[in-house]
Amino acid sequence: MFFTYLRRELRRRRKAALVVASGLALGIALVIIVSSVSSGMSKAQDKVLESLYGLGTDMTVTKAAAAPGSGSNKERPKFEFDAKGDDDDSTQSSDRVMVQGFQALASSTVDKIGKQDGVADAVGGLSLNVMKVDGQFKRGEFKQDGSSQSSQGQGGPGGGGNGQPQGEVQGGGASFDVNSYSVYGTDVTKQDLGPLTSSKITKGRTFKASETNAKVAVVDSAYAKEKELAVGKTVTISGTKFKIVGVSTADSGDAAANLYIPLKQAQTLSDSKNKVTTVYVKASDSQKIDQVKSTIQKNVSGTTVTTSADLADTVSGSLSTASDLASSVGKWLSIAVLVAAFLVAGLLTSSAVSRRVREFGTLKALGWKSGRVTRQVVGEALINGLLGGVLGIAIGLAGAYIVTAISPSLTAQLGSSGGGGGGGGMGGGMGGPGGPGQSASKSLEVALTAPVSLSVILIAVGLAVAGGLIAGAFGGWRASRLRPADALRRVE
């Protein structure tokens, strides 16, 4: 009887039911779209951060670079060229391998950090910058002037009487090109942590665990294309030839380094035996990262610990702006629209009850109790809410699909927030090889998606039920107050 009457009343009042359902649908759809876009923003930001410190890294440990003037003169790049006495123009080349960005840490620090409470794994890496100078010295030609030639035999050129030709050297000089590229020494025995994990091997292979001191290299795809490098070819770093075994492509499109080589080889090239610049740390519990950070800072002195959350605070650009809008304005807007939709649905349901005075009065006169009338109204409102939920989910999924299909490009600007200070310039603290630790900022472009998770769908269903119940509460309260005699008295 209940469902039969319910079905009949809903069919009879289709327009009113559609109005209530549409209002709820808009609110629910907006919640789904905003939630999915916010999730997409979070994933885009995670992708940006992974491009800097690698997948699975929860924090990095570094040591701040020395302040200018405190022994920094020893670190200035120097290039020495041989003086050649032959008549031919001489072409020369020189490399300068420098530790990039930070002061070096002892390799024993990696083991010490790995033993701290809450640390699942720790691995060290050495970030290098190679400056290569190539060029050619050109001899100048001595040109005598006319007065020098006419004065010969008359006391010497120019009247000087010293017997030396008078003139000037023309042409000659030197032309050199300076190229700089980044090299990262990676621990080949632990390749599941660090910057290389944010890249995929697209050609060849990655390092083998046995190649701890082998002269092999993995080259970034963009750098390989620029320098015409390929698997099987060799690349020379400061006079040492490395065989290219693989080509990697960064997920974000911007690699952490141009070349990756085994850590021991990087230490040898830079004269940094048993040294690392960055320790990549994975926590055993992602919920206790701050606690692990405090433990490392307390027990490993002279270091700066930087978490991914710290680095996220330095992300600026359109990604940061859009993320802020989605998390603040978007969420508050969706809440406001949802509340308004609930109130409108409740008021419309209550108004519909007022127009059904004769119907409810007759039902009560026939023996329906107030509770049964209330359940009838709540049931109708609940069906309207579920219908609104279905429409809202459909609209929300369509909106999220459109955002993903368009995939608007957002720019993330990563820079050091603390300047040269340590680690802190978070862009430097977790910058890994190749960029942020050395440069002021790094710009990346990521495509925005709007993934819809099952939890969002469940929330939408919950909102639909809640909307129906709220609307039913308004109407049921109004219906329960009707008396049969008073209701029939109002019938014309």
Side-chain angles (χ1 to χ4, degrees):
M1 178 66 180
F2 174 80
F3 292 104
T4 302
Y5 190 79
L6 182 65
R7 184 175 64 252
R8 191 193 71 182
E9 290 302 311
L10 289 174
R11 291 180 61 183
R12 191 161 64 93
R13 295 180 172 83
R14 289 190 297 268
K15 291 184 178 180
L18 186 59
V19 170
V20 174
S22 298
L24 292 173
L26 290 176
I28 293 171
L30 185 58
V31 170
I32 292 175
I33 294 174
V34 171
S35 298
S36 60
V37 170
S38 296
S39 177
M41 297 286 183
S42 179
K43 288 189 175 182
Q45 195 170 65
D46 289 343
K47 190 173 182 179
V48 169
L49 300 183
E50 286 172 9
S51 71
L52 296 180
Y53 57 77
L55 184 65
T57 305
D58 293 315
M59 64 192 77
T60 59
V61 181
T62 56
K63 187 175 183 180
S70 58
S72 58
N73 289 338
K74 297 180 181 180
E75 298 299 325
R76 291 178 179 175
K78 296 179 181 179
F79 298 91
E80 298 180 357
F81 299 98
D82 296 330
K84 296 183 179 181
D86 52 21
D87 293 334
D88 297 332
D89 294 337
S90 56
T91 299
Q92 299 195 33
S93 175
S94 179
D95 288 357
R96 182 70 161 85
V97 182
M98 299 170 291
V99 174
Q100 181 177 340
F102 311 104
Q103 291 191 59
L105 294 165
S107 296
S108 59
T109 307
V110 180
D111 297 329
K112 186 175 182 180
I113 293 172
K115 295 177 182 178
Q116 301 300 311
D117 291 338
V119 175
D121 199 4
V123 62
L126 185 63
S127 179
L128 305 176
N129 187 64
V130 181
M131 293 185 66
K132 184 178 183 63
V133 178
D134 290 292
Q136 186 180 50
F137 290 103
K138 295 182 179 180
R139 293 181 177 275
E141 294 184 3
F142 182 80
K143 299 285 187 180
Q144 289 184 329
D145 55 27
S147 60
S148 172
Q149 296 176 2
S150 62
S151 60
Q152 290 182 3
Q154 301 180 12
N162 57 9
Q164 298 296 325
Q166 196 78 347
E168 61 180 357
V169 177
Q170 297 180 356
S175 176
F176 284 85
D177 291 328
V178 180
N179 295 306
S180 177
Y181 58 94
S182 56
V183 177
Y184 186 69
T186 182
D187 189 339
V188 298
T189 62
K190 295 182 178 180
Q191 298 185 57
D192 57 346
L193 197 60
L196 190 53
T197 60
S198 63
S199 299
K200 295 180 180 178
I201 300 298
T202 51
K203 294 180 181 179
R205 62 174 177 85
T206 187
F207 298 107
K208 296 179 180 178
S210 59
E211 295 175 329
T212 55
N213 200 27
K215 295 178 181 179
V216 292
V218 172
V219 59
D220 173 63
S221 57
Y223 187 72
K225 183 177 180 181
E226 177 187 350
K227 300 299 181 180
E228 298 182 350
L229 300 174
V231 175
K233 290 187 175 182
T234 59
V235 59
T236 302
I237 306 174
S238 189
T240 303
K241 290 186 177 182
F242 290 82
K243 182 180 179 181
I244 298 175
V245 297
V247 177
S248 64
T249 301
D251 293 338
S252 66
D254 195 350
N258 299 131
L259 292 168
Y260 300 89
I261 61 176
L263 178 58
K264 286 187 178 180
Q265 284 292 331
Q267 292 170 337
T268 301
L269 288 175
S270 60
D271 195 22
S272 303
K273 186 178 181 180
N274 296 325
K275 298 290 184 179
V276 296
T277 52
T278 308
V279 181
Y280 298 88
V281 181
K282 183 178 182 180
S284 56
D285 187 349
S286 60
Q287 303 300 318
K288 297 181 179 180
I289 291 178
D290 290 337
Q291 181 179 337
V292 176
K293 175 182 177 179
S294 300
T295 301
I296 296 175
Q297 287 178 326
K298 179 181 178 181
N299 297 333
V300 187
S301 60
T303 59
T304 300
V305 182
T306 304
T307 67
S308 55
D310 295 331
L311 185 59
D313 293 337
T314 69
V315 177
S316 60
S318 59
L319 174 59
S320 177
T321 303
S323 181
D324 291 341
L325 288 174
S327 61
S328 55
V329 178
K331 287 184 178 179
W332 283 112
L333 177 62
S334 61
I335 291 174
V337 172
L338 195 62
V339 171
F342 284 176
L343 290 176
V344 170
L347 292 175
L348 289 175
T349 304
S350 178
S351 176
V353 170
S354 299
R355 292 194 297 270
R356 298 167 66 184
V357 170
R358 180 180 179 181
E359 174 189 343
F360 291 134
T362 302
L363 292 174
K364 283 193 172 186
L366 293 175
W368 278 40
K369 294 182 178 181
S370 296
R372 187 174 180 181
V373 173
T374 301
R375 287 194 298 272
Q376 186 69 40
V377 174
V378 172
E380 294 176 12
L382 188 58
I383 296 299
N384 290 337
L386 292 176
L387 179 60
V390 172
L391 292 174
I393 292 173
I395 297 173
L397 290 176
Y401 175 79
I402 291 174
V403 172
T404 303
I406 297 175
S407 295
S409 181
L410 298 177
T411 301
Q413 195 76 22
L414 298 157
S416 137
S417 64
M426 309 264 334
M430 297 184 74
Q438 193 75 0
S439 59
S441 63
K442 183 178 183 180
S443 182
L444 297 174
E445 284 193 1
V446 290
L448 175 64
T449 59
V452 180
S453 62
L454 179 60
S455 60
V456 173
I457 299 297
L458 294 177
I459 290 174
V461 174
L463 291 175
V465 173
L469 291 177
I470 291 173
F474 274 89
W477 174 80
R478 185 66 179 270
S480 66
R481 294 172 61 86
L482 292 176
R483 295 181 180 180
D486 294 340
L488 293 175
R489 190 179 303 118
R490 294 173 58 185
V491 176
E492 296 180 356

